């Protein structure tokens, strides 16, 4: 399963054109439903992982993948006993997490996100790391409620806390904590099983990813189910292992940069060679990952 997710993610990000326009395979995409208890589910297909909570007060959705999958996503939610989502949280602005925004917004779903997410979705953007241009969304797809630090929802007998983690994957990341269900959606703060893409161009940093991971770890126990932005649903032990990898890389990269070594010198030195067998078989090679995160490093 991990390998399939990695291959799909690589195809999405590394393609020079929009995946929505480039192929017509969407009808064959199947959702994997992962029940997490208390009517909370992870929904895994293409793009960022989704969380959905079902109940009498309405359906609560976290992220929405791609526009061509909206109809199928709503059908899956209906099979779980839910309806058109009442609320949608965008964990950040990237297109593989917000592609269904316009469809859902037009259907009456209230979209909620960090202030910076609305700003990013409102204008044309570019992901230089992947040579990709991303068009602004129409008003239907923009968050209508935004927050700077955190917000909470109280529905279906559940308290859902949504809080900002600063300068992690981007400058607008949100983590979603279903407190009663003991489920956390980490967004792209966590890529479970492989090196994470960090959008340094739009405010992300390796140090921020490490700090955000620590914040999620502090909220978790051995029973917590944690939904990563990409990869299979995991647990505290797996997230701690990922955090330790980030910490090791940050320490080594800071030391090398403080010595005045250039990006290319660091890449040539292969400082994370010992980690590549476990973490380097995703859509980012070790060399590409070091290239991306270098500019987001600060000397100790």
């Amino acid at each position: 399963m991990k390998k399939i997710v990695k291959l799909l993610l690589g195809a999405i990000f590394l393609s020079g054109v929009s995946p929505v326009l480039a192929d017509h395979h969407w009808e064959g995409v199947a959702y994997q439903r992962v029940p997490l208890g208390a009517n909370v589910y992870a929904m895994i297909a293409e793009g960022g992982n989704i969380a959905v909570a079902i109940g009498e007060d309405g359906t609560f959705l976290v992220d929405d993948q791609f526009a061509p999958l909206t109809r199928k996503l709503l059908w899956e939610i209906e099979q779980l006993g839910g309806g058109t989502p009442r609320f949608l949280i965008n964990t950040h602005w990237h297109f593989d997490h917000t592609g269904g925004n316009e469809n859902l917004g037009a259907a009456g779903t209230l979209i909620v996100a960090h202030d910076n997410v609305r700003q990013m979705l409102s204008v044309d953007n570019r992901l230089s790391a992947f040579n990709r241009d991303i068009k602004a969304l129409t008003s239907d797809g923009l968050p209508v409620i935004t927050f700077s630090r955190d917000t909470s929802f109280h529905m279906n007998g559940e308290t859902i806390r949504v809080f900002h983690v600063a300068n992690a994957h981007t400058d607008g990341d949100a983590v979603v904590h279903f407190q009663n269900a003991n489920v956390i959606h980490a967004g792209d703060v966590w890529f479970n099983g492989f090196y994470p893409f960090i959008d340094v161009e739009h405010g992300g940093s390796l140090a921020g990813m490490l700090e955000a991971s620590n914040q999620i770890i502090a909220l978790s126990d051995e029973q917590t189910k944690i939904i990563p932005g990409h990869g299979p649903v995991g647990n505290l032990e797996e997230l701690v292992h990922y955090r330790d990898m980030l910490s090791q890389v940050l320490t080594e990269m800071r030391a090398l940069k403080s010595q005045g070594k250039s990006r290319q010198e660091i890449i040539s030195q292969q400082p994370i060679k010992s980690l590549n067998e476990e973490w380097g078989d995703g859509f980012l090679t070790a060399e590409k990952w070091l290239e991306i995160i270098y500019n987001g490093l600060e000397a100790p």
Side-chain angles (χ1 to χ4, degrees):
M1 181 64 187
K2 281 187 179 182
K3 191 64 177 179
I4 294 172
V5 171
K6 294 172 187 177
L7 291 172
L8 288 172
L9 190 59
I12 289 166
F13 272 100
L14 299 178
S15 170
V17 295
S18 168
V20 174
L21 299 177
D23 62 63
H24 305 280
H25 74 286
W26 301 103
E27 289 304 314
V29 173
Y31 274 95
Q32 176 193 5
R33 303 179 203 161
V34 183
L36 303 177
N39 288 324
V40 179
Y41 301 82
M43 305 283 284
I44 301 173
E46 289 196 24
N49 292 337
I50 289 170
V52 60
I54 308 293
E56 292 183 359
D57 296 330
T59 297
F60 186 93
L61 188 66
V62 182
D63 288 342
D64 55 24
Q65 298 184 337
F66 297 107
L69 293 176
T70 301
R71 182 177 299 178
K72 185 169 292 190
L73 173 61
L74 291 176
W75 184 88
E76 293 283 347
I77 290 173
E78 184 178 352
Q79 305 314 297
L80 296 173
T84 299
R86 183 176 175 186
F87 297 105
L88 163 65
I89 301 295
N90 290 151
T91 60
H92 61 291
W93 71 276
H94 287 158
F95 57 87
D96 59 319
H97 295 255
T98 60
N101 273 26
E102 291 175 334
N103 294 335
L104 292 171
T109 299
L110 286 175
I111 305 173
V112 183
H114 186 264
D115 297 333
N116 293 342
V117 173
R118 179 179 169 89
Q119 174 60 32
M120 293 300 292
L121 294 176
S122 300
V123 297
D124 293 345
N125 279 291
R126 180 170 181 78
L127 278 173
S128 299
F130 302 106
N131 193 31
R132 291 206 53 143
D133 294 315
I134 298 100
K135 293 294 184 182
L137 296 184
T138 65
S139 59
D140 282 338
L142 297 178
V144 297
I145 301 170
T146 63
F147 59 92
S148 60
R149 188 181 66 182
D150 60 5
T151 189
S152 295
F153 297 79
H154 306 275
M155 56 187 297
N156 301 325
E158 177 65 83
T159 296
I160 308 166
R161 180 172 175 244
V162 184
F163 62 94
H164 175 53
V165 287
N167 300 101
H169 177 63
T170 67
D171 66 358
D173 297 298
V175 172
V176 183
H177 186 194
F178 298 86
Q179 294 182 336
N180 299 340
N182 199 12
V183 172
I184 297 174
H185 193 306
D188 276 5
V189 168
W190 189 17
F191 283 55
N192 188 6
F194 46 107
Y195 291 135
F197 170 56
I198 303 175
D199 191 355
V200 172
E201 183 178 17
H202 298 103
S205 70
L206 180 55
M209 292 282 274
L210 175 60
E211 173 57 27
S213 297
N214 281 329
Q215 290 183 54
I216 298 169
I217 288 167
L219 293 173
S220 304
D221 58 35
E222 292 181 354
Q223 284 72 49
T224 307
K225 299 177 178 68
I226 308 171
I227 306 170
H230 299 275
V233 174
N235 56 35
L236 175 60
E237 181 180 3
E238 291 170 312
L239 181 58
V240 167
H241 185 50
Y242 168 84
R243 185 275 312 272
D244 291 346
M245 179 273 291
L246 296 181
S247 180
Q248 178 181 336
V249 174
L250 180 61
T251 298
E252 294 182 8
M253 290 289 285
R254 277 178 168 171
L256 291 169
K257 192 170 183 179
S258 68
Q259 294 168 19
K261 293 188 180 295
S262 68
R263 179 173 58 190
Q264 192 53 52
E265 286 174 328
I266 292 176
I267 293 172
S268 298
Q269 191 169 326
Q270 300 184 60
I272 59 174
K273 185 177 181 180
S274 64
L275 300 172
N276 290 342
E277 182 176 353
E278 180 175 4
W279 302 97
D281 63 341
F283 78 106
L284 289 173
T285 64
E287 292 77 14
K288 180 66 174 178
W289 192 50
L290 292 177
E291 178 184 336
I292 288 172
I293 65 177
Y294 177 85
N295 290 333
L297 290 170
E298 67 281 0

